Amino acid sequence: MRTTRVTVAALIAAAALTLTACGGEPAKTGSVTQISGGQNNAKAATVLDRPFGKPELVLTDTTGKPWNLREQTKGKPTLIYFGYTHCPDVCPLTMSNIAVAKKALPEADQDDLRVVFVTTDPERDTPETLGAWLKGQDPSFIGLTGDFATIQAAARTLGIGIEAPKKEANGDVVSMHGAQVIAFSPKTDEGYVLYGEGTTVDDYTKDLPKLIKGENP
């Protein structure tokens, strides 16, 4: 079996221990190396025994308008990831892997899927910055920015730890954040599947057709 089950309580308790350090300048989409093959394939999907509720989160999208997460993803298969555009590795790779896998879906399923990128660095990730960065990944991806405390609180309800970006002695800004992707079912609007940072293009390509239907991968 390639699917594992864990408790939500265990995820929340472990959130502070699973932060990823990112820093440096924005990564160029074209420079990201695609990961494919069987890396961590046996443990790609973690099906939660108690799904997460979708956060009551209203932030600003890349057009500068308010965007209500619950309202605008209701009844839609949704992937949510918390990261930032200045991340040199994990964040662009994760979004790139999802973008590549999405292209393998039938057109109707591609249109139905919502991929939401919530910044953990709202001071630098303005709507314009997010829009330009996500355009290089997939123009349909939704970028959200806003008050850091609001973003941090929403992430915490999903078992994802986030710390405010800090400037290092060498001038680099480092952001510590959980690198999980959470899939929400179109049937229940609950987050029922979790993916870690080792998830590959092949993993997403295999699982997305089931996630679109709200099925267990």
Side-chain angles (χ1 to χ4, degrees):
M1 294 291 292
R2 61 188 295 274
T3 301
T4 58
R5 292 178 181 271
V6 298
T7 64
V8 169
L11 283 174
I12 293 176
L17 302 177
T18 58
L19 300 182
T20 296
C22 300
E25 295 302 313
K28 297 179 181 179
T29 303
S31 67
V32 174
T33 301
Q34 302 297 333
I35 293 180
S36 60
Q39 183 180 355
N40 294 333
N41 190 56
K43 299 180 180 180
T46 299
V47 177
L48 306 179
D49 68 328
R50 295 182 182 180
F52 290 111
K54 191 174 289 181
E56 294 185 9
L57 186 61
V58 179
L59 294 171
T60 302
D61 67 13
T62 55
T63 68
K65 297 180 180 179
W67 206 88
N68 188 306
L69 178 66
R70 282 192 174 182
E71 290 182 3
Q72 294 181 255
T73 61
K74 185 176 181 180
K76 298 291 185 181
T78 303
L79 302 180
I80 294 178
Y81 180 78
F82 292 81
Y84 72 124
T85 64
H86 285 71
C87 175
D89 38 45
V90 178
C91 301
L93 178 60
T94 298
M95 300 309 289
S96 180
N97 284 348
I98 294 173
V100 172
K102 179 189 168 190
K103 291 178 181 179
L105 291 169
E107 187 171 346
D109 288 345
Q110 291 189 45
D111 293 340
D112 209 31
L113 179 65
R114 300 290 182 268
V115 179
V116 182
F117 181 91
V118 184
T119 183
T120 60
D121 183 15
E123 184 174 335
R124 291 185 295 173
D125 281 345
T126 64
E128 294 78 12
T129 299
L130 276 174
W133 189 79
L134 288 172
K135 185 177 180 181
Q137 301 283 354
D138 185 313
S140 74
F141 286 179
I142 299 151
L144 300 179
T145 188
D147 177 67
F148 177 81
T150 300
I151 293 170
Q152 185 181 49
R156 188 178 293 120
T157 68
L158 299 175
I160 298 174
I162 293 176
E163 295 180 2
K166 298 179 180 179
K167 181 174 289 189
E168 301 287 275
N170 63 1
D172 288 345
V173 176
V174 176
S175 176
M176 298 288 288
H177 62 89
Q180 303 95 323
V181 173
I182 298 180
F184 287 77
S185 167
K187 296 179 179 179
T188 64
D189 282 321
E190 293 180 319
Y192 74 116
V193 180
L194 179 147
Y195 293 93
E197 65 179 87
T199 307
T200 68
V201 171
D202 288 350
D203 292 326
Y204 286 119
T205 300
K206 292 175 183 176
D207 290 359
L208 281 181
K210 293 183 179 180
L211 298 179
I212 292 290
K213 300 175 182 178
E215 299 174 351
N216 287 354

